[in-house]
Amino acid sequence: MPNIKASTIKTQALPESPAFASRMMLNILRSGLSTLDLDMIADDTKEVSAHIPLTTKQNWVNDVAKLYDITTLLRLGVGVSDFIGTPIGRALLTNSSVHTLIKKWQRLERYIHSQHFITAEFTSRYVKVSHCSNTEHQPTVEEDFAVLGVLCALLQHVSGQPVLLCTSANKCSCVFELPSNVICAPFKAKSYEQMSAQRNWYIHFETNVSAKQSDMAEGKGQFIDDLRIMSPAHMTEPNSAILTNLAQVIMSLGLLDIDLPKVAHSLALSVRTLQRRLSQLNMKFSSVVQEVRVKHAGILLLEGQLGISEIGFICGFSDQAHFSRVFKMWTGLSPKQYGEFKKQKSSQPSC
């Protein structure tokens, strides 16, 4: 391959589109280039936000494919190593199995991508994944490889075991393997047309492996001390402490897939006992979870480090509309208005 500098690559720009993609995904891929000691490729994003134009992502992955090799996009998933300690990384990976990770990823896509999404069919040995679009324009194979590489890297991190990307349910059709980050030679020799024709992919994984929690838990505790459930005025101090402890347990288990059985188990209580105790406090579990989510979202909004869509996902809301509706119900302000409150407050002269 000729030694071409990344800055010299010129790709024909795709048509402008209001569709958006994830800056987070692009950052992971850029980190993968750095991890592999490959020259960085510039993108045309100027504003800092959680979303970027879809054409920006498409142009960038096309540049990588032309400068290096199209299968290099699969290998860029190693960039997740710089992502797992971020708030979204912790939300995705905390207490996750292979199955729950895929479900969380699908929820994340509803926040960060306007058109593309994955479908997943599980067996005990593999998950069949298809990268799709809700428009007539399906993702390119370059975009497929970018997403599949990141998914495989995340699943390998969760399982701690080798992960194989294959073109069929048979492992003999292996395309890509982690953690070695190697592309299988027979697949690499295929033509672009043959690769593009492949619409279904099979990610093989080891079962009965617990998730690695050490990296995921890092940094989680910094928010727990700030969570205080708004108990009724007549509630006694011991009962108020019970609710605070409940909020801490909910946070420690992760907000994306929290449910009553998980919390009861963590508190060494039966589901019925926990429900009865909440009923005695005139509280419902769903309301407590909702309040924890809103309170945590408020903390993150005031910190101003993350975009609204990222915060909505991290705090476990199903989509942007759900986040805005519930947050305004609890606070009287939309997430955007609440985030701007810090700016307004900081501009006030101190007393």
Side-chain angles (χ1 to χ4, degrees):
M1 180 182 298
N3 184 18
I4 307 174
K5 289 295 183 182
S7 58
T8 67
I9 287 292
K10 299 292 183 183
T11 301
Q12 183 177 0
L14 294 164
E16 287 298 322
S17 167
F20 61 84
S22 166
R23 177 179 291 277
M24 173 206 72
M25 174 66 81
L26 187 58
N27 287 343
I28 290 175
L29 299 174
R30 288 168 63 86
S31 179
L33 278 179
S34 177
T35 301
L36 297 177
D37 292 325
L38 300 176
D39 287 337
M40 192 60 63
I41 295 176
D43 61 71
D44 58 7
T45 55
K46 297 178 177 63
E47 297 182 4
V48 176
S49 67
H51 296 146
I52 59 174
L54 178 58
T55 51
T56 294
K57 186 200 74 171
Q58 291 170 329
N59 287 330
W60 193 90
V61 297
N62 288 345
D63 282 350
V64 171
K66 290 188 176 183
L67 179 59
Y68 300 110
D69 180 274
I70 189 170
T71 56
T72 300
L73 289 161
L74 287 169
R75 301 178 63 226
L76 297 187
V78 295
V80 301
S81 60
D82 293 331
F83 162 76
I84 57 176
T86 66
I88 293 185
R90 292 196 299 270
L92 272 176
L93 297 170
T94 297
N95 297 318
S96 288
S97 64
V98 169
H99 183 272
T100 57
L101 176 63
I102 293 288
K103 294 299 182 184
K104 289 179 181 180
W105 179 269
Q106 290 175 312
R107 183 188 297 183
L108 177 60
E109 285 178 322
R110 294 198 289 269
Y111 276 95
I112 66 175
H113 214 298
S114 62
Q115 293 183 356
H116 297 173
F117 60 94
I118 66 164
T119 62
E121 298 176 21
F122 277 90
T123 73
S124 60
R125 298 180 293 110
Y126 62 81
V127 55
K128 177 184 174 183
V129 174
S130 300
H131 191 205
C132 308
S133 172
N134 55 21
T135 73
E136 60 183 294
H137 303 291
Q138 292 303 307
T140 64
V141 66
E142 289 88 349
E143 292 173 287
D144 287 351
F145 284 178
V147 170
L148 289 167
V150 171
L151 269 180
C152 287
L154 288 171
L155 293 174
Q156 198 275 321
H157 181 81
V158 163
S159 69
Q161 298 294 312
V163 168
L164 305 178
L165 177 66
C166 305
T167 57
S168 74
N170 192 326
K171 287 186 179 181
C172 294
S173 64
C174 182
V175 168
F176 173 60
E177 191 269 339
L178 282 171
S180 64
N181 208 25
V182 170
I183 307 293
C184 299
F187 182 79
K188 199 169 184 178
K190 287 190 175 184
S191 67
Y192 182 87
E193 289 72 21
Q194 289 174 313
M195 293 181 185
S196 299
Q198 184 74 34
R199 301 312 306 171
N200 297 320
W201 304 88
Y202 299 77
I203 304 177
H204 291 256
F205 52 86
E206 298 293 332
T207 56
N208 300 321
V209 180
S210 60
K212 300 192 298 183
Q213 295 298 318
S214 57
D215 293 332
M216 307 171 208
E218 183 181 354
K220 178 180 282 290
Q222 60 185 311
F223 302 111
I224 292 179
D225 290 339
D226 294 324
L227 290 171
R228 297 292 183 270
I229 292 298
M230 293 186 292
S231 53
H234 65 272
M235 186 171 289
T236 64
E237 187 172 337
N239 285 341
S240 180
I242 290 173
L243 288 176
T244 298
N245 183 46
L246 179 59
Q248 293 173 341
V249 170
I250 290 170
M251 276 296 300
S252 68
L253 291 173
L255 295 176
L256 264 71
D257 57 352
I258 195 70
D259 59 29
L260 185 60
K262 288 181 181 178
V263 175
H265 178 76
S266 183
L267 292 170
L269 299 173
S270 70
V271 170
R272 293 187 65 180
T273 298
L274 179 54
Q275 286 176 319
R276 185 174 64 253
R277 290 189 180 182
L278 285 172
S279 179
Q280 291 169 349
L281 301 176
N282 198 28
M283 302 287 284
K284 292 183 178 180
F285 178 75
S286 59
S287 296
V288 174
V289 171
Q290 199 171 81
E291 186 174 345
V292 171
R293 284 176 167 153
V294 169
K295 184 70 181 291
H296 188 37
I299 293 170
L300 296 177
L301 285 166
L302 291 181
E303 286 184 342
Q305 301 293 317
L306 299 169
I308 291 175
S309 60
E310 295 170 309
I311 292 171
F313 168 75
I314 290 167
C315 294
F317 296 97
S318 58
D319 53 42
Q320 189 70 48
H322 181 224
F323 176 31
S324 297
R325 183 174 63 255
V326 172
F327 192 87
K328 189 168 185 177
M329 180 182 70
W330 279 85
T331 67
L333 299 171
S334 70
K336 183 178 181 180
Q337 290 170 328
Y338 193 91
E340 291 172 347
F341 177 75
K342 181 178 181 180
K343 300 176 186 177
Q344 297 167 359
K345 187 175 180 180
S346 62
S347 65
Q348 300 290 330
S350 57
C351 297

